[in-house]
Amino acid sequence: MNELKIYLENLIPFTENEMTIFTSLFSQIKLKKKDYLAKEGEYSHKLAFLNTGVIRAFFRNKSGNEYNKTFFTPSNFVAAYSSIITKQKNLINIQCLTDCTLQVTDFDKITSLYKDYSKIESLARILAERKFAIKEKREIELVTLEAKERYEIFKKEYPNLENQISQYHIASYLGITPTQLSRIRAKR
């Protein structure tokens, strides 16, 4: 819970009471490598804060090919955001790439506090704005940058992640094949 409090303190000046109310909504869970936090076609309601481990968000096309959308590393909120906000079925999967420890709550419990705690509503807005900015940057990079440039950005944004996850996950995230990734690494 300490990681969550530290993260929150850097975003919003919560009073001690507000911090207690917000963090009391979360409970710790442990998931194993390959476990899912969310699956496509299901409804999501969980918001999680990742304490330890690595998680990927991905989608699968009709042929069964998987495409990694993003990775979550410690001290990040994780959710199937479209589903928890729209109340529609998930379009993505959220799967652990390593064993993970998370703090989890029901998103509706958080939204029920908005009326009485404006800082909690502000926190949600700040997090949504950050997620949107990250998503927009990533989409632009995918269509404007060469694979080598995307790989360099990946290494800066996710230091040491290369040593924790499979090469094909990184290649999928970069929008290239594992063979192409091997060539890029060999040229360095």
Side-chain angles (χ1 to χ4, degrees), residues 3 12-13 17 23 30-31 45 58 61 68 90 94 101 135 149 153 158 163 173 178 180:
E3 295 92 351
I12 294 282
N17 183 51
T23 57
K30 293 183 183 231
L31 295 176
H45 55 88
F58 72 98
N61 69 12
N68 287 325
N90 288 332
I94 299 177
T101 305
K135 180 182 183 308
E149 295 168 298
I153 291 168
Y158 299 104
N163 304 324
Y173 174 77
Q180 289 171 303

Side-chain angles (χ1 to χ4, degrees), residues 24-185:
S24 71
L25 300 176
F26 290 82
S27 57
Q28 183 173 296
I29 64 166
K30 293 183 183 231
L31 295 176
K32 298 271 186 211
K33 181 179 180 175
K34 296 188 179 182
D35 284 351
Y36 285 82
L37 183 65
K39 288 185 177 179
E40 63 185 301
E42 297 179 354
Y43 293 93
S44 270
H45 55 88
K46 292 180 188 174
L47 175 69
F49 183 81
L50 181 60
N51 290 330
T52 63
V54 179
I55 294 176
R56 71 175 176 144
F58 72 98
F59 60 94
R60 196 178 282 121
N61 69 12
K62 291 178 182 180
S63 301
N65 298 321
E66 296 178 356
Y67 298 92
N68 287 325
K69 181 179 177 288
T70 193
F71 297 111
F72 298 96
T73 55
S75 295
N76 273 294
F77 280 99
V78 181
Y81 292 102
S82 292
S83 182
I84 64 172
I85 292 167
T86 67
K87 309 294 186 212
Q88 300 293 313
K89 291 181 180 180
N90 288 332
L91 300 174
I92 62 167
N93 297 285
I94 299 177
Q95 182 185 41
C96 298
L97 293 177
T98 65
D99 290 349
C100 296
T101 305
L102 304 103
Q103 301 294 327
V104 180
T105 189
D106 188 295
F107 187 69
D108 289 339
K109 289 181 181 178
I110 292 174
T111 60
S112 71
L113 297 176
Y114 289 175
K115 183 177 64 142
D116 296 324
Y117 299 95
S118 62
K119 287 183 186 174
I120 293 174
E121 186 175 22
S122 293
L123 172 66
R125 178 188 46 78
I126 290 167
L127 292 172
E129 289 170 350
R130 287 183 174 199
K131 293 292 183 189
F132 177 81
I134 290 167
K135 180 182 183 308
E136 182 178 63
K137 177 183 176 289
R138 169 123 166 88
E139 289 169 349
I140 291 168
E141 290 169 356
L142 278 171
V143 296
T144 62
L145 299 178
E146 296 294 323
K148 182 180 181 214
E149 295 168 298
R150 293 193 307 271
Y151 176 62
E152 293 301 323
I153 291 168
F154 165 81
K155 290 191 317 181
K156 287 179 188 163
E157 291 179 351
Y158 299 104
N160 301 318
L161 192 56
E162 274 186 282
N163 304 324
Q164 298 176 52
I165 64 174
S166 299
Q167 179 174 320
Y168 71 89
H169 285 306
I170 297 168
S172 171
Y173 174 77
L174 296 172
I176 59 177
T177 66
T179 303
Q180 289 171 303
L181 179 57
S182 291
R183 287 186 192 130
I184 289 169
R185 285 177 164 168

